[in-house]
Amino acid sequence: GCAQKYIVKNYFYYYLFKFSAALGEEIFYITFLPFTYWNIDHSVSRRMIIVWSIVMYIGQVSKDILKWPRPLSPPVVKLEMRTNAEYGMPSTHAMAATAISFSFFIATMNQYKYPFELGLAAAFVFSTLVCLSRLYTGMHTVLDVIGGALISAVLLVLLYPVWDTIDHLLLTSPFCPLFSIAVPLVLCYNYPKLDYYSPTRGDTTTILGAAAGATVGFWLNNQYAAPAYTSKSFQPGFPLVTSTMVLVLARFFVGMLAVLLTRWVMKRAVLGTLGYRYKFSICDLAARRRLEVEVPYKFVTYSSVGFTATVIVPLLHELLGLM
């Protein structure tokens, strides 16, 4: 569709909620989750990735099963167009923000020294801002947002008692690599079919692919690499000292460079291979949306990204003396 014309009357709300909406997008999670893995705690990152992938898969599938439309425009003004082709209920922004913020809070509250009330308030503010941004940008109804937050909260309650068990199995089971690749692939290839193209299948494949690659990386690190270095490098508490911040930023930029380079190389390599196999140009958007192209292209690309973030980047950190 075409973007609507509108006049911004309050720039504070406009930029606040545009920024808050970005906190619920893939670009935030593809930076925040690796940052947590490289600089805070491996176990915290693993638990967030487990919760994030499960919550997002259920949310995306629910959209295409329920098929509830997004708010009509007019009367609302839509400030985004990319996700307009998706259905509305539940809001996966609300689901992801609630799952990530509260799983981060739950996973760190007993490991790091900070006030319980402060952590709870931060998780609540983060998720609330993302939820409100979906109303402000005209992408969801109040029911969509409440439904997404509630579904995410229920899933957190159900997953919390078993996430240590899941984490242990993913680290130690000899079947972990096979399970981590096969199950997401089956889910992606059997994603609910729609009468028209929606980016939900591609986004879901991206999320499951990244989680699959990261999970294989977790398993390999536990089998063959040294224990998590972050817990030994830092004193209990979040890194705030100037020298530590320099190390944190260096790890982050080296890691993101490796991740982005992996994404660029694998995207071109996989699309080129599939283009040769199915006889289409890599610039052909319609061909890239076909099931036999979209799923392997996104799954291989982003599983490589997840693997790089968890295995290759720590090796780079060690090589460059950033441990």
Side-chain angles (χ1 to χ4, degrees):
C2 299
Q4 292 174 284
K5 293 182 179 180
Y6 55 87
I7 297 174
V8 179
K9 295 183 179 180
N10 190 314
Y11 281 95
F12 174 76
Y13 287 139
Y14 178 78
Y15 288 115
L16 173 65
F17 290 124
K18 288 286 281 185
F19 174 75
S20 300
L23 296 179
E25 307 237 354
E26 285 79 6
I27 187 63
F28 171 74
Y29 299 113
I30 206 173
T31 54
F32 176 70
L33 293 175
F35 178 88
T36 305
Y37 186 77
W38 301 328
N39 293 299
I40 297 179
D41 193 289
H42 286 188
S43 64
V44 173
S45 179
R46 290 197 305 269
R47 284 159 175 75
M48 285 198 297
I49 289 173
I50 291 169
V51 171
W52 175 64
S53 57
I54 293 173
V55 164
M56 288 300 290
Y57 175 76
I58 291 174
Q60 296 285 68
V61 169
S62 298
K63 281 178 185 282
D64 291 339
I65 292 176
L66 294 174
K67 298 183 179 180
W68 287 20
R70 290 186 182 269
L72 294 177
S73 177
V76 305
V77 176
K78 294 187 177 180
L79 305 186
E80 298 177 13
M81 296 309 299
R82 178 188 174 274
T83 58
N84 196 39
E86 299 178 7
Y87 289 108
M89 177 68 171
S91 167
T92 46
H93 274 70
M95 293 183 70
T98 303
I100 287 292
S101 58
F102 281 95
S103 62
F104 182 80
F105 166 62
I106 294 168
T108 58
M109 65 181 181
N110 293 324
Q111 296 191 44
Y112 296 94
K113 295 180 180 179
Y114 62 84
F116 175 87
E117 296 79 6
L118 178 62
L120 182 63
F124 180 78
V125 169
F126 180 92
S127 56
T128 300
L129 281 175
V130 174
C131 289
L132 291 176
S133 74
R134 307 315 289 160
L135 303 178
Y136 182 87
T137 55
M139 301 310 296
H140 285 286
T141 64
V142 174
L143 187 59
D144 294 343
V145 170
I146 293 175
L150 286 178
I151 293 171
S152 193
V154 170
L155 289 172
L156 270 175
V157 170
L158 295 175
L159 288 170
Y160 176 69
V162 296
W163 71 357
D164 286 337
T165 303
I166 295 173
D167 184 54
H168 177 73
L169 288 173
L170 292 178
L171 290 178
T172 60
S173 172
F175 302 105
C176 172
L178 177 62
F179 180 87
S180 299
I181 298 297
V183 172
L185 270 177
V186 170
L187 294 176
C188 292
Y189 274 108
N190 291 277
Y191 192 83
K193 294 179 173 60
L194 298 176
D195 295 333
Y196 64 94
Y197 178 78
S198 169
T200 49
R201 184 183 65 202
D203 291 344
T204 304
T205 306
T206 295
I207 292 165
L208 294 184
T215 303
V216 173
F218 298 151
W219 183 85
L220 280 175
N221 287 337
N222 188 66
Q223 300 298 316
Y224 303 107
Y229 55 82
T230 51
S231 59
K232 295 183 177 180
S233 301
F234 301 133
Q235 297 297 320
F238 291 101
L240 294 174
V241 183
T242 303
S243 59
T244 303
M245 286 303 298
V246 172
L247 185 62
V248 165
L249 291 175
R251 284 180 176 179
F252 177 71
F253 285 117
V254 168
M256 288 311 301
L257 181 62
V259 164
L260 293 175
L261 181 61
T262 299
R263 179 181 177 273
W264 182 79
V265 170
M266 293 305 298
K267 181 178 179 179
R268 294 186 66 86
V270 176
L271 275 179
T273 302
L274 291 170
Y276 177 79
R277 168 67 177 82
Y278 293 108
K279 310 301 181 188
F280 68 88
S281 167
I282 62 172
C283 298
D284 187 346
L285 185 59
R288 287 165 53 177
R289 289 174 170 177
R290 287 155 45 189
L291 174 67
E292 65 271 22
V293 174
E294 184 177 58
V295 170
Y297 142 55
K298 294 209 167 185
F299 191 87
V300 173
T301 298
Y302 286 94
S303 61
S304 301
V305 166
F307 184 83
T308 296
T310 54
V311 176
I312 306 301
V313 171
L315 291 175
L316 281 175
H317 288 163
E318 184 176 9
L319 183 65
L320 296 173
L322 299 176
M323 303 288 282

